[in-house]
Amino acid sequence: LELTPRAPRVFVLAGERAESMGHKHVGTEHLALAITAEGKGVGAKALAALGATHNSLKARVETILAERL
């Protein structure tokens, strides 16, 4: 399986997002945030077409996580 050139950067960004949120794992929420932060790949374009910006996605993730507490 070959990764796109942007994929390694997205994985690094996802790890950084997880750490900044105090999480010890990388989940789909961190990957989605990383994809939107990277902003140039097909995934970012698909999320943008659905109206998901980095800031809106981050706010929604934080809301969902806060509701779990």
Side-chain angles (χ1 to χ4, degrees):
L1 177 68
E2 289 188 41
L3 299 176
T4 65
R6 289 187 179 93
R9 176 74 180 135
V10 168
F11 289 125
V12 169
L13 289 170
E16 290 172 357
R17 297 299 179 272
E19 286 180 353
S20 73
M21 298 172 85
H23 300 159
K24 295 181 181 182
H25 70 279
V26 173
T28 54
E29 66 274 25
H30 307 113
L31 288 168
L33 288 168
I35 289 167
T36 57
E38 189 277 330
K40 297 178 185 174
V42 173
K45 291 175 184 175
L47 289 169
L50 295 171
T53 66
H54 181 74
N55 289 335
S56 69
L57 189 58
K58 184 174 187 241
R60 184 69 181 131
V61 167
E62 289 172 348
T63 298
I64 291 169
L65 293 175
E67 289 173 356
R68 290 184 181 176
L69 296 177

